[in-house]
Amino acid sequence: MGEDIFAAGPPQGEKRPLGGQQAEGAAWGRVFDGLILAGGQSRRMRTVQDPYADKGLMTWRGEPLVAHACRTLRIQGADALWISANRHVDEYAAYGAVLRDDPGQADCGPLAGVLAGLKHSRSPWLLMLPVDVVHCPADLGARLGAAARPGQPAYARTPDGPHPLCLMAHRDLADGLRTFLESGGRQVQGWLRSCGAVAVDFPDADALVNLNTPEDWVRWT
């Protein structure tokens, strides 16, 4: 665990049973909600055959990515699940309570989804995961939770670099994030720097593989 210097550049959440699986996040000893970030435009995943791809609903290893992400967060120990999505809301609603970005934050990128999650979380803590992350470490929630403080979120880092949206944050950060966005801030890394976020190291370079492109999809399928 250590500091990281980045390169420049309304419904209630649905409780889901853990199905008898051991929740690694439970070892942390605090209740937290889970937020799946699926509100992007999936531009890098678009192809001539599928020019309007919605990555979270694409089938990977027999299930939509959103289903894999839901399972991951339940195993981590999430008490309730939320999904940040701005398209195909009805389809996403089959997996959890959907949060759409505020209309005034349509150009704010993933931080708009983060803010929606912090505002609606029923638990004080929120574990966030991009919908395209696969091969998630079993102790992600426990380790991020142990490092985070109410005014200081914690995010994952692997040898390949930071994963700033694999994040544990306290809902009290919502007001500061809103101010950051209203002042023109858009970069996730810039917001994390502003609140002194802590990096938590995971030694496996493939611990948090994310499927950004069709080439990634082929490689990891």
Side-chain angles (χ1 to χ4, degrees):
M1 184 172 67
E3 296 299 326
D4 188 45
I5 300 174
F6 292 109
Q12 290 190 330
E14 178 185 2
K15 288 189 177 182
R16 297 290 186 93
L18 294 175
Q21 293 172 301
Q22 175 63 38
E24 294 287 345
W28 176 37
R30 298 180 190 170
V31 176
F32 61 91
D33 284 1
L35 174 68
I36 298 165
L37 295 165
Q41 295 298 312
S42 305
R43 290 186 177 91
R44 285 188 285 176
M45 191 60 73
R46 295 177 183 178
T47 63
V48 173
Q49 294 76 22
D50 191 1
Y52 303 105
D54 190 338
K55 188 164 37 177
L57 298 174
M58 293 174 62
T59 299
W60 184 75
R61 296 188 177 180
E63 291 183 298
L65 278 180
V66 65
H68 291 279
C70 285
R71 183 179 302 109
T72 294
L73 287 177
R74 291 186 206 121
I75 292 172
Q76 297 292 328
D79 186 59
L81 292 182
W82 307 87
I83 301 171
S84 167
N86 297 301
R87 298 184 290 159
H88 306 112
V89 171
D90 290 343
E91 288 90 334
Y92 279 113
Y95 300 94
V98 176
L99 301 175
R100 303 188 71 160
D101 294 350
D102 186 290
Q105 296 167 348
D107 64 342
C108 292
L111 286 177
V114 172
L115 178 57
L118 292 174
K119 287 166 54 180
H120 288 86
S121 179
R122 298 186 310 190
S123 301
W125 294 94
L126 185 67
L127 175 62
M128 291 165 248
L129 188 74
V131 73
D132 62 356
V133 168
V134 294
H135 300 168
C136 187
D139 59 352
L140 179 71
R143 293 192 60 205
L144 294 182
R149 300 293 180 268
Q152 186 178 48
Y155 63 94
R157 181 173 61 186
T158 69
D160 285 345
H163 296 263
L165 289 172
C166 296
L167 177 69
M168 181 74 80
H170 195 279
R171 63 187 178 194
D172 284 354
L173 289 165
D175 288 343
L177 176 53
R178 182 184 299 107
T179 299
F180 180 83
L181 294 175
E182 290 174 349
S183 67
R186 296 293 180 268
Q187 292 189 347
V188 179
Q189 297 171 348
W191 173 62
L192 290 177
R193 280 196 300 267
S194 74
C195 47
V198 175
V200 177
D201 288 311
F202 292 85
D204 182 359
D206 295 335
L208 291 162
V209 169
N210 59 311
L211 307 181
N212 273 318
T213 66
E215 292 75 21
D216 292 336
W217 200 276
V218 171
R219 178 184 177 191
W220 293 102
T221 301

